[in-house]
Amino acid sequence: MMMARKQDVRIPTYNISVVGLSGTEKEKGQCGIGKSCLCNRFVRPSADEFHLDHTSVLSTSDFGGRVVNNDHFLYWGEVSRSLEDCVECKMHIVEQTEFIDDQTFQPHRSTALQPYIKRAAATKLASAEKLMYFCTDQLGLEQDFEQKQMPDGKLLVDGFLLGIDVSRGMNRNFDDQLKFVSNLYNQLAKTKKPIVVVLTKCDEGVERYIRDAHTFALSKKNLQVVETSARSNVNVDLAFSTLVQLIDKSRGKTKIIPYFEALKQQSQQIATAKDKYEWLVSRIVKNHNENWLSVSRKMQASPEYQDYVYLEGTQKAKKLFLQHIHRLKHEHIERRRKLYLAALPLAFEALIPNLDEVDHLSCIKAKKLLETKPEFLKWFVVLEETPWDATSHIDNMENERIPFDLMDTVPAEQLYETHLEKLRNERKRAEMRRAFKENLETSPFITPGKPWEEARSFIMNEEFYQWLEESVYMDIYGKHQKQIIDRAKEEFQELLLEYSELFYELELDAKPSKEKMGVIQDVLGEEQRFKALQKLQAERDALILKHIHFVYHPTKETCPSCPACVDAKIEHLISSRFIRPSDRNQKNSLSDPNIDRINLVILGKDGLARELANEIRALCTNDDKYVIDGKMYELSLRPIEGNVRLPVNSFQTPTFQPHGCLCLYNSKESLSYVVESIEKSRESTLGRRDNHLVHLPLTLILVNKRGDTSGETLHSLIQQGQQIASKLQCVFLDPASAGIGYGRNINEKQISQVLKGLLDSKRNLNLVSSTASIKDLADVDLRIVMCLMCGDPFSADDILSPVLQSQTCKSSHCGSSNSVLLELPIGLHKKRIELSVLSYHSSFSIRKSRLVHGYIVFYSAKRKASLAMLRAFLCEVQDIIPIQLVALTDGAIDVLDNDLSREQLTEGEEIAQEIDGRFTSIPCSQPQHKLELFHPFFKDVVEKKNIIEATHMYDNVAEACSTTEEVFNSPRAGSPLCNSNLQDSEEDVEPPSYHLFREDTTLPSLSKDHSKFSMELEGNDGLSFIMSNFESKLNNKVPPPVKPKPPVHFDITKDLSYLDQGHREGQRKSMSSSPWMPQDGFDPSDYAEPMDAVVKPRNEEENIYSVPHDSTQGKIITIRNINKAQSNGSGNGSDSEMDTSSLERGRKVSAVSKPVLYRTRCTRLGRFASYRTSFSVGSDDELGPIRKKEEDQASQGYKGDNAVIPYETDEDPRRRNILRSLRRNTKKPKPKPRPSITKATWESNYFGVPLTTVVTPEKPIPIFIERCIEYIEATGLSTEGIYRVSGNKSEMESLQRQFDQDHNLDLAEKDFTVNTVAGAMKSFFSELPDPLVPYSMQIDLVEAHKINDREQKLHALKEVLKKFPKENHEVFKYVISHLNKVSHNNKVNLMTSENLSICFWPTLMRPDFSSMDALTATRSYQTIIELFIQQCPFFFYNRPISEPPGAAPGSPSAMAPTVPFLTSTPAISQPSPPQSPPPTPQSPMQPLLSSQLQAEHTL
């Protein structure tokens, strides 16, 4: 076969001629057979370059142009293709056709005049400068298209593609076409060139034509047949590649793919490309306003776009884009439509919510109604163009109003109908709810607390079930029950107040007996308000217990009217009226910078204090702020776990004044530590004027041991805690009552309650210290108390305004926030009157404790409880004290139409007549009464002033002469807010700074000698009495029966100023306000009163009372009364009981007749008095199991888990012997030995040995210390609380044991904590036989520290440092340098040089704390170590002295030279530290007691 000349030897080139039926319309029909489309698709396969229309009818000019060039063939151009064997080749494509003249419709005349059949079979084609053909539009516009010439102007044809159109052509017979093709084939066969039959237009092919074409091919020597479709681009490349393989015999035979199989592959390819293109469009086009031009530019570089445009063309790509835009727009419109339809019901509810207005309106009429509404334009917008979805409104996203034409749509009409139905249903449901409520309110079967199951059958009907869901009527029933329960509880509380006399006559205390509770049930049982809570017995009992709590412990917080308690209102009125002198004082709470600060001591050994402190800090904000009732408070915690006599463990410091203390224990040992620490803390403040630690609020908390949730141990710890809490007068929280989880020591709720209590204590400081000073009382002539009832329907402002607006009204100087001073002319002289305005429950506490010259008692004429409380109050008032009754009415008496008011007025008048008091009524419509109204009463008070004061003094003296405790400290008077005159504490056996006894001035002065101290204890009856009382209070026992005392005579007609002074001062001095002691000493065992032989039940040990935690749930919790009652057995401390307690009183004061109580003079008072004597004293119910167990333990000695831990564990032995003689025999536990400083678990050759044995001249630092410090400095400098937070004891011992066995121990590998390593290092120094700072050097250091000049002091300390033994000096230098480095990281680890010195000085200096000298020098020791740490570069590295970081209080640079540990001792020379521990410890109380006795003797 002849091969055409190749232009490129590397790439074969083939010239292919496409032939087929051509000619005039008569010969080929109205359209061609598709030769041009086949060539177009093969040469330019891109869809955009493919043209379906290729005309053969040309003008003469077009035929003569360079493209046709007067030839009947077209040059399609050169094509490069890669065949199946990946060999690239080039093909020149030529189409043999016949062009028709558009004028004659005959073939154009050309140079070759041969017929088409012969011309088509030509193998040599020549045409000079013939241009490549693109499309019909190119003809005549050749310059607008690419101009590429046929190579060399001639081609040698290598093969032929014979085309057969198998479609149903118009005006063309297929058989004629087949004949033409047969003739053409015969002509082509003569050329010996390869021929491939191509069936065109198979996408429109006729099955018979295709079959006939295949038959023709078979008849011609098995011609290759390829079925194609140029329009669908199916098998076009296959046809040309098949011919090329026939031309080049070296190529393999091509596999012919049937048309439909190839069409399927092409369709899949197009579908895939379409999917990718649509994905691309959806990713790029998000807005329906996008245009094709901008988007197509964005997609032009994307292969997805290029592939689809190649296969389908730009127009189809644009069409898909427009479809996507349309879809986006439709979705946007639908979203807007949904939003509008969702807003439409809201618009209906806002504009037409009334069913009566639209009930019968159609949607069209409702639409007109909507336009008339004022807020129509708020919900709707009227558009000029409609419909809305065809306007630009769809793109107005800012306008969310509903297009009004939407109302014309079907969905809008449906929503309108739904709205009507909803309104109708709501009206029906509202009617049903109203009917259901009416049924509940009118039904007699619905009572408080009745379960729904029992009430259902009485009120439910079918209609209720139909229209109301279960949750609805259950909610209505629940709310109704809450209303009637709350109302019933309020009415029951009012009933309890109406029976106030009963509760006060029963002498109720913390734990009322079953017998007394039964009396309350019996008395109240017939009352309808009692029966109303029949189904809520738990809540009813809780209310009774809560009321008993109020009676026994009356405060503003326990008041039933809280927070509208009269005391709080009065405080506010008076504080807003006056600016007190005390308000200008720094200690006043209004100007106190610490008013928003809470200082809390946490006491507990073995890590309990630190653990709780960390838990509380976790509840705080980042800056240690704690939120209570929405207000932020600064919370400062001081955890204490050591000896509280040391300054480092002191409750208070110059910068820390505690407001309360949490005492934690989880064992007998930790409870003993708490008791001892409280004792020591209180003893340390004896004799101080600022002995506020005695009043420090305490809370004793039992902390659960892990894994020990029940059993005898926990039960015994609870019992012991309750007993100790009773003795310490503090609150007790056990796990059951506190709700403490085992993951925490105390929960957040309990912490908040404790902190609220501390805030109340701070706020009520004025009430607690309300006792007037001598100077203040000396300026007051009369003390009047005005009593108001909490919850009365009248304003305290209206009652007090005449008093506060008076020109003579001034602020009280006694510090009380509930009192004012009046200067009124009474008789011929002006009198200064101190008027205290209190609630009745606050007034109960002062009837016996304070000197009161008269009472003005108010009550509401229309409230029974108000008059009942007045009667209960007057029962215990002595009949010599004038009373002014004031009835508050709604209007004038003559116009009262209320039977209750008239009855109450009458009863008030009768009470006033029977007690010889005064009575008046004030209409509350005219509350602005004048003070002149009370002038007759004031005159009565002036007349009785002397006898009242004499009687008050007589009562105090008589009580002081007996061994009974203060009468006024009854359970009902034990309020922490009102009873401000309690003795400081049980342990406060030593008097304050004023003088307790009148002693002979010739009494020799007392020295500090131990034997003299003991002798004075035995010889001085005053001190002996105090010690006896001290012991009896600690043990709840009375002294044994003794001989009668001789009567002590005194003259009551003496100047009353001293007596008055004794009274006023005696509020704090307790039993010593008058000269009842004889001039010569006597032994109290020789005398006794009859009361001494009477067993005193319920003294102080049972101050645990039960109150409801949540009265609505009926839960009961146990709370400890903070100010313990100190009554004489009876509980209320009245004179009637005291008459039987002392026969001496009558003998002592014979000049004054014994006053009686008003209850004995008035038949309307004391109607429940019969219950007062109906109970045996000290019944089992009254004593309770705790008391009985305690007595058993007292008789059997201290033993077992239930033993009460004794207090005096480290007292002086001789003093203990004296105290033991005043109590029953008990076993005394041995004093706790001082902890050993040597290892007891194993014999160590390294720890606990002298320092010189573990160092060498080459290694002056012990290897253990070096390893520990290197480890700490590498890993622990940022550890918070380093050296303050102790490590695990077992881990520290393990560390030391391992090091003892292997001195090359790697601490990092063993993974010990930083605190464990730090603790082990401190333990090394603690176990040295001698401290690192030798005792001999400590004396010199203290002397050098006394130098006032700072620079001289530092140089003197440096000189002392040079005298240290070399081994001690090197190790001391190493340790101090390390601590200096730790202090530089104090912003992270919070360990300043002061904190480090506090932690390290006991370890480095180890003084013996049984010596008073060592105790008083502790602050000096700590400051010396702090100086060494601060000035480490100066002391050890010859650097200049550095400036102190700040002169804060307590820092070495700002401190005075020395601060004695016991500030109450007389000024003495600075003691020096001991060189070695003294052989016999000295009692810490000895110098304190001795110094005070000396001070009193000098007076």
Side-chain angles (χ1 to χ4, degrees), residues 1107-1163:
V1107 298
H1109 173 62
D1110 184 358
S1111 59
T1112 61
Q1113 300 298 326
K1115 298 178 181 177
I1116 307 298
I1117 65 172
T1118 302
I1119 302 179
R1120 173 66 175 85
N1121 184 14
I1122 295 176
N1123 282 347
K1124 179 169 51 181
Q1126 297 176 342
S1127 67
N1128 183 29
S1130 63
N1132 71 345
S1134 67
D1135 265 0
S1136 60
E1137 282 89 63
M1138 290 309 299
D1139 289 345
T1140 64
S1141 67
S1142 177
L1143 299 178
E1144 293 295 328
R1145 185 176 298 175
R1147 295 198 299 268
K1148 291 174 182 174
V1149 186
S1150 59
V1152 181
S1153 61
K1154 182 71 175 71
V1156 296
L1157 302 179
Y1158 277 123
R1159 68 160 69 240
T1160 63
R1161 296 181 50 182
C1162 179
T1163 57

Side-chain angles (χ1 to χ4, degrees), residues 909-917 1158 1161-1165:
E909 264 189 288
E910 293 176 355
I911 291 175
Q913 290 175 1
E914 293 185 19
I915 66 174
D916 292 334
Y1158 277 123
R1161 296 181 50 182
C1162 179
T1163 57
R1164 292 185 176 272
L1165 302 181

Side-chain angles (χ1 to χ4, degrees), residues 474-492:
M474 287 292 291
D475 180 63
I476 296 174
Y477 184 77
K479 291 179 179 178
H480 178 72
Q481 273 293 325
K482 185 178 185 305
Q483 290 176 356
I484 63 176
I485 288 174
D486 291 344
R487 185 165 59 246
K489 287 182 176 180
E490 291 175 1
E491 293 173 353
F492 183 69

Side-chain angles (χ1 to χ4, degrees), residues 1015-1032:
M1015 181 174 62
E1016 288 299 330
L1017 282 176
E1018 297 171 358
N1020 185 284
D1021 33 39
L1023 188 58
S1024 173
F1025 172 81
I1026 289 296
M1027 303 311 293
S1028 173
N1029 187 43
F1030 175 79
E1031 279 302 301
S1032 65

Side-chain angles (χ1 to χ4, degrees), residues 277-481:
Y277 172 71
E278 287 179 341
W279 169 84
L280 176 66
V281 172
S282 64
R283 182 171 62 87
I284 294 179
V285 182
K286 301 294 184 182
N287 192 334
H288 64 275
N289 292 317
E290 295 279 2
N291 62 75
W292 167 250
L293 185 60
S294 62
V295 172
S296 61
R297 288 175 181 172
K298 295 178 184 178
M299 298 188 297
Q300 201 161 12
S302 301
E304 295 85 1
Y305 173 78
Q306 295 173 353
D307 291 346
Y308 185 73
V309 169
Y310 175 82
L311 292 174
E312 291 290 279
T314 304
Q315 290 304 315
K316 285 193 176 182
K318 183 178 179 180
K319 183 179 179 181
L320 288 179
F321 163 78
L322 293 176
Q323 291 176 356
H324 178 71
I325 290 294
H326 179 74
R327 184 166 57 253
L328 288 179
K329 184 176 180 179
H330 179 73
E331 292 174 354
H332 174 74
I333 292 173
E334 288 304 313
R335 283 196 299 269
R336 300 286 287 180
R337 191 191 310 277
K338 289 181 180 179
L339 290 175
Y340 294 148
L341 292 177
L344 198 56
L346 302 179
F348 291 154
E349 292 178 4
L351 300 178
I352 48 176
N354 191 353
L355 179 63
D356 297 332
E357 190 177 18
V358 294
D359 195 8
H360 302 292
L361 293 182
S362 64
C363 186
I364 298 176
K365 294 181 179 179
K367 182 178 177 181
K368 295 180 180 179
L369 177 63
L370 288 173
E371 293 184 86
T372 64
K373 296 297 181 179
E375 294 188 350
F376 170 75
L377 293 179
K378 177 183 177 181
W379 292 93
F380 293 95
V381 57
V382 180
L383 302 176
E384 295 180 359
E385 299 179 2
T386 56
W388 67 274
D389 53 0
T391 67
S392 60
H393 180 74
I394 63 173
D395 295 325
N396 189 357
M397 303 302 294
E398 296 181 356
N399 192 348
E400 297 182 352
R401 293 181 295 170
I402 306 169
F404 196 51
D405 61 292
L406 186 71
M407 287 291 298
D408 297 331
T409 62
V410 174
E413 294 179 2
Q414 294 174 348
L415 288 176
Y416 172 71
E417 294 297 330
T418 303
H419 176 68
L420 287 180
E421 189 67 21
K422 178 183 176 182
L423 292 179
R424 296 183 183 117
N425 291 339
E426 284 183 354
R427 172 178 288 183
K428 185 65 177 180
R429 280 193 292 269
E431 292 174 358
M432 291 297 101
R433 286 195 296 268
R434 196 160 44 248
F436 185 72
K437 289 181 181 178
E438 291 175 357
N439 277 14
L440 291 177
E441 293 171 356
T442 57
S443 174
F445 303 103
I446 306 303
T447 57
K450 175 166 285 191
W452 167 249
E453 291 73 16
E454 297 180 14
R456 181 196 299 267
S457 59
F458 296 109
I459 57 174
M460 292 300 288
N461 56 41
E462 184 177 350
E463 210 169 12
F464 289 156
Y465 283 116
Q466 177 182 352
W467 287 99
L468 299 180
E469 298 177 357
E470 182 179 7
S471 60
V472 175
Y473 58 74
M474 287 292 291
D475 180 63
I476 296 174
Y477 184 77
K479 291 179 179 178
H480 178 72
Q481 273 293 325

Side-chain angles (χ1 to χ4, degrees), residues 787-789 792-794 799 840 856-871 884-889 900-911 919-922 924:
C787 302
L788 303 178
M789 177 63 180
D792 272 359
F794 306 113
I799 297 174
Y840 275 105
I856 302 175
V857 289
F858 286 79
Y859 75 97
S860 170
K862 65 177 185 180
R863 187 183 180 202
K864 286 185 178 181
S866 186
L867 184 58
M869 185 66 80
L870 181 148
R871 290 195 301 265
Q884 169 75 63
L885 276 76
V886 181
L888 300 172
T889 63
L900 175 62
S901 298
R902 284 197 293 268
E903 180 182 338
Q904 297 256 103
L905 282 173
T906 302
E907 183 174 352
E909 264 189 288
E910 293 176 355
I911 291 175
F919 177 84
T920 186
S921 63
I922 300 176
C924 285

Side-chain angles (χ1 to χ4, degrees), residues 833-1120:
I833 303 175
E834 181 192 0
L835 180 64
S836 298
V837 187
L838 302 172
S839 63
Y840 275 105
H841 59 76
S842 294
S843 304
F844 275 103
S845 66
I846 64 172
R847 290 181 305 185
K848 287 296 181 181
S849 64
R850 289 174 58 183
L851 173 62
V852 179
H853 297 94
Y855 293 98
I856 302 175
V857 289
F858 286 79
Y859 75 97
S860 170
K862 65 177 185 180
R863 187 183 180 202
K864 286 185 178 181
S866 186
L867 184 58
M869 185 66 80
L870 181 148
R871 290 195 301 265
F873 177 75
L874 291 182
C875 281
E876 299 298 320
V877 178
Q878 292 179 333
D879 63 349
I880 60 172
I881 299 178
I883 304 294
Q884 169 75 63
L885 276 76
V886 181
L888 300 172
T889 63
D890 283 331
I893 298 178
D894 54 352
V895 297
L896 287 178
D897 57 355
N898 189 314
D899 294 338
L900 175 62
S901 298
R902 284 197 293 268
E903 180 182 338
Q904 297 256 103
L905 282 173
T906 302
E907 183 174 352
E909 264 189 288
E910 293 176 355
I911 291 175
Q913 290 175 1
E914 293 185 19
I915 66 174
D916 292 334
R918 295 188 177 273
F919 177 84
T920 186
S921 63
I922 300 176
C924 285
S925 58
Q926 303 170 354
Q928 300 296 330
H929 59 86
K930 296 183 179 180
L931 285 176
E932 288 75 9
L933 186 67
F934 301 125
H935 274 205
F937 166 72
F938 290 147
K939 289 182 180 179
D940 294 345
V941 173
V942 171
E943 291 175 1
K944 295 185 178 180
K945 177 177 183 293
N946 290 339
I947 187 64
I948 292 171
E949 292 177 348
T951 304
H952 181 78
M953 177 276 302
Y954 160 78
D955 289 339
N956 282 353
V957 171
E959 291 164 16
C961 291
S962 70
T963 57
T964 60
E965 299 169 353
E966 289 98 333
V967 174
F968 62 83
N969 289 326
S970 65
R972 296 200 302 266
S975 167
L977 295 180
C978 303
N979 184 7
S980 60
N981 306 313
L982 293 174
Q983 185 174 332
D984 287 345
S985 70
E986 292 175 349
E987 298 81 9
D988 199 1
V989 299
E990 192 65 14
S993 58
Y994 41 80
H995 313 304
L996 186 64
F997 308 112
R998 290 196 171 193
E999 298 177 347
D1000 192 349
T1001 56
T1002 61
L1003 187 67
S1005 61
L1006 301 175
S1007 67
K1008 291 186 179 180
D1009 182 79
H1010 182 74
S1011 60
K1012 291 184 179 180
F1013 171 70
S1014 301
M1015 181 174 62
E1016 288 299 330
L1017 282 176
E1018 297 171 358
N1020 185 284
D1021 33 39
L1023 188 58
S1024 173
F1025 172 81
I1026 289 296
M1027 303 311 293
S1028 173
N1029 187 43
F1030 175 79
E1031 279 302 301
S1032 65
K1033 291 172 70 176
L1034 291 183
N1035 294 278
N1036 295 317
K1037 305 174 183 64
V1038 296
V1042 291
K1043 301 175 183 178
K1045 302 176 184 176
V1048 180
H1049 302 284
F1050 59 92
D1051 188 2
I1052 202 167
T1053 62
K1054 290 183 179 181
D1055 184 10
L1056 291 176
S1057 62
Y1058 170 73
L1059 300 176
D1060 201 20
Q1061 172 183 347
H1063 157 69
R1064 294 157 187 156
E1065 202 169 51
Q1067 303 307 316
R1068 290 189 297 140
K1069 291 193 291 185
S1070 179
M1071 301 168 291
S1072 56
S1073 59
S1074 57
W1076 59 274
M1077 295 293 296
Q1079 294 297 321
D1080 53 347
F1082 69 96
D1083 187 351
S1085 63
D1086 296 332
Y1087 304 92
E1089 292 182 352
M1091 190 59 189
D1092 292 338
V1094 180
V1095 178
K1096 293 166 55 178
R1098 301 190 54 75
N1099 196 16
E1100 297 168 348
E1101 71 281 0
E1102 291 191 22
N1103 289 338
I1104 312 297
Y1105 49 82
S1106 300
V1107 298
H1109 173 62
D1110 184 358
S1111 59
T1112 61
Q1113 300 298 326
K1115 298 178 181 177
I1116 307 298
I1117 65 172
T1118 302
I1119 302 179
R1120 173 66 175 85

Side-chain angles (χ1 to χ4, degrees), residues 26-85:
K26 179 181 177 181
E27 295 169 346
K28 65 175 183 178
Q30 292 183 355
C31 60
I33 66 169
K35 299 188 298 295
S36 297
C37 290
L38 182 69
C39 295
N40 188 172
R41 179 65 77 180
F42 179 70
V43 176
R44 283 175 282 278
S46 173
D48 285 341
E49 296 178 322
F50 177 72
H51 303 279
L52 283 175
D53 296 329
H54 297 279
T55 181
S56 60
V57 179
L58 301 178
S59 65
T60 303
S61 59
D62 290 341
F63 182 75
R66 292 185 60 188
V67 175
V68 179
N69 209 20
N70 293 317
D71 298 317
H72 284 279
F73 71 91
L74 294 174
Y75 173 65
W76 280 93
E78 182 183 77
V79 180
S80 295
R81 286 286 193 275
S82 295
L83 301 178
E84 291 183 357
D85 52 4

